[in-house]
Amino acid sequence: MALNLQTKTQHFTNPLYLESGRILEPYDITYETYGKRNEDDSNIIVVCHALTGSHHAAGTYENESKPGWWDGLIGSAKAIDTDKYFVICANVIGSCFGSTGPMSPHPPYQEPYRFKFPVVTIKDMVKAQRILFDRLGIHHVKAIIGGSMGGMQALHFAIHYPKFADNIIALATTYATQPWAIAFNKIAQEAILKDPDFQDGYYDPEIIKENGLSGMAVGRMAGHISFLSHDSMQSKFGREYKRTDGLYELFGKFQVESYLEYNGYNFTKWFDPLSYLYITKAINIYDLSRGFDTLEEALRKIEANLLLISFKADMLFRNEEMKHISDILKQTDTTSFKYIDIESNYGHDAFLVELEKFDFYIKEVLNGN
């Protein structure tokens, strides 16, 4: 059966009341669906994307060779089987792939918001998705699945909309962003802000798309280091040197340097710098216990069956952060949950790369085992 990939955008004119007390109106949400919705809506699965992801989670667009970011997991006969399930993935507000963000027109003017865009939180992103689902007549889903920032969204759904999903699957995430992750985001923020081509936020996006933004590239290189691990860099690059460069040339490069450079500079041509600042801010201030007296009180709200998956060598959101959620849930004894720590040397990005190490756990949950 075909993936049945469809990309759509919904426009909302009602105000979205944000956690900060500010309002966003009007706003758009772009989303993608796969598979076919059944008559009783019992086969709906929500997928939440991470920082630089988008609604394009699976399949390939006609004019592109690169498939969606979780294509190995979503599709016919895959763990999230589109022959059985109707899958929906929405682009978060604040992003730069169709949903309203800092470079969207600021009504009543046609000029972009830029720094006038309000700070949005993970909770706001989830609230906007919930409003989208209401409009689409989706009032209950089989599962919500996400990794990294997607896992943050999944856990927020579990706490703030406890009856909305039967199952919540959160991978490579945390209960609150810790100083290590905030520090990496700080490097990216400073590098972007201090780049003269950023023009204090008044850059021309077309020029950035063509030339990139070197400050953002440097920040992204730092971020990349946090997504990998000592072992994965060792096995991927070792001390291999670029064959065309001399060892004693000052700017001769190791393979790992070339990799960081390529990924860093390439990234800046397709991801908007202001969106990067706003979304990393949302990640930095993410804390499941905000609005509650304790994390335990927040986690007690969960009614869905919960699957928590961490990865041993994850340096960004360490496995002990997921274990902390598990330890609290054990004490509360109110939620049906399972915590699995995956043997992996890959690092944080294992949730995008080493699918064969955990896809069967997702299958188990979806099959009701």
Side-chain angles (χ1 to χ4, degrees):
M1 190 172 151
L3 184 66
N4 191 22
L5 185 160
Q6 295 188 32
T7 311
K8 297 174 183 174
T9 300
Q10 288 281 346
H11 182 68
F12 297 87
T13 51
N14 284 354
L16 179 66
Y17 294 92
L18 302 173
E19 212 179 343
S20 64
R22 289 188 63 186
I23 289 170
L24 191 62
E25 70 170 324
Y27 60 98
D28 293 339
I29 299 180
T30 296
Y31 64 99
E32 205 155 282
T33 63
Y34 321 95
K36 195 167 180 237
R37 197 166 159 180
N38 64 12
E39 281 184 22
D40 65 356
D41 279 352
S42 62
N43 72 333
I44 301 172
I45 293 175
V46 173
V47 169
C48 301
H49 71 77
L51 164 59
T52 60
S54 71
H55 52 283
H56 184 42
T60 311
Y61 294 145
E62 274 176 30
N63 56 345
E64 289 180 4
S65 57
K66 199 179 173 192
W69 54 271
W70 238 1
D71 187 69
L73 207 63
I74 302 166
S76 178
K78 294 177 185 176
I80 304 172
D81 189 346
T82 49
D83 297 342
K84 286 202 250 178
Y85 304 117
F86 176 73
V87 183
I88 181 164
C89 181
N91 187 216
V92 299
I93 52 168
S95 186
C96 52
F97 298 111
S99 294
T100 297
M103 290 306 282
S104 303
H106 182 193
Y109 323 102
Q110 284 316 297
E111 289 299 306
Y113 277 96
R114 300 187 191 266
F115 282 122
K116 290 190 176 79
F117 193 72
V119 164
V120 294
T121 64
I122 303 295
K123 190 177 175 184
D124 296 329
M125 294 171 183
V126 165
K127 185 179 187 179
Q129 287 175 66
R130 190 69 178 79
I131 291 166
L132 167 71
F133 300 149
D134 265 349
R135 174 172 290 183
L136 299 176
I138 296 171
H139 306 300
H140 187 83
V141 300
K142 186 176 182 67
I144 300 171
I145 307 174
S148 193
M149 187 183 91
M152 296 175 178
Q153 293 167 67
L155 291 172
H156 256 294
F157 266 112
I159 287 167
H160 295 283
Y161 304 99
K163 295 190 188 304
F164 183 63
D166 293 331
N167 301 285
I168 301 283
I169 302 173
L171 303 93
T173 193
T174 183
Y175 56 91
T177 304
Q178 303 302 308
W180 175 265
I182 295 168
F184 275 106
N185 288 338
K186 177 63 177 169
I187 296 169
Q189 182 191 56
E190 282 296 303
I192 290 168
L193 294 175
K194 297 295 188 289
D195 188 326
D197 291 336
F198 181 65
Q199 296 183 22
D200 295 325
Y202 285 86
Y203 55 86
D204 180 337
E206 293 309 312
I207 291 173
I208 300 285
K209 268 180 200 162
E210 199 172 319
N211 302 333
L213 186 70
S214 56
M216 188 172 167
V218 172
R220 185 62 178 171
M221 286 184 220
H224 242 298
I225 295 167
S226 76
F227 305 149
L228 297 173
S229 72
H230 188 282
D231 287 337
S232 64
M233 280 202 181
Q234 190 68 45
S235 59
K236 208 170 181 153
F237 311 109
R239 283 184 49 78
E240 290 298 309
Y241 207 73
K242 207 171 164 198
R243 289 206 175 92
T244 51
D245 290 2
L247 187 63
Y248 301 107
E249 287 172 36
L250 181 58
F251 298 109
K253 295 183 193 82
F254 283 93
Q255 294 287 12
V256 66
E257 295 176 292
S258 293
Y259 169 82
L260 287 175
E261 242 179 42
Y262 171 79
N263 276 287
Y265 284 95
N266 192 38
F267 172 70
T268 69
K269 294 179 180 181
W270 59 265
F271 202 92
D272 176 68
L274 273 169
S275 272
Y276 197 81
L277 292 176
Y278 273 89
I279 296 177
T280 50
K281 175 67 177 179
I283 289 171
N284 285 352
I285 62 176
Y286 160 79
D287 184 347
L288 278 181
S289 67
R290 189 163 52 246
F292 299 93
D293 288 340
T294 61
L295 180 58
E296 182 185 333
E297 188 193 334
L299 295 174
R300 277 185 182 279
K301 297 278 182 196
I302 298 174
E303 293 181 25
N305 174 44
L306 190 62
L307 175 62
L308 303 169
I309 297 178
S310 63
F311 298 86
K312 271 199 165 58
D314 189 340
M315 288 164 50
L316 192 64
F317 301 130
R318 295 174 70 188
N319 58 354
E320 63 197 44
E321 295 168 40
M322 288 286 257
K323 185 177 180 297
H324 184 59
I325 299 175
S326 166
D327 289 345
I328 292 175
L329 288 171
K330 271 182 199 160
Q331 291 163 9
T332 58
D333 202 28
T334 54
T335 304
S336 158
F337 82 97
K338 190 174 185 179
Y339 165 56
I340 296 152
D341 189 30
I342 303 285
E343 265 312 326
S344 167
N345 293 325
Y346 197 90
H348 179 67
D349 272 359
F351 84 97
L352 293 169
V353 177
E354 296 187 315
L355 307 182
E356 73 289 346
K357 290 194 173 179
F358 62 84
D359 59 356
F360 52 93
Y361 290 118
I362 291 175
K363 258 188 195 164
E364 268 182 10
V365 169
L366 299 181
N367 290 336
N369 297 341

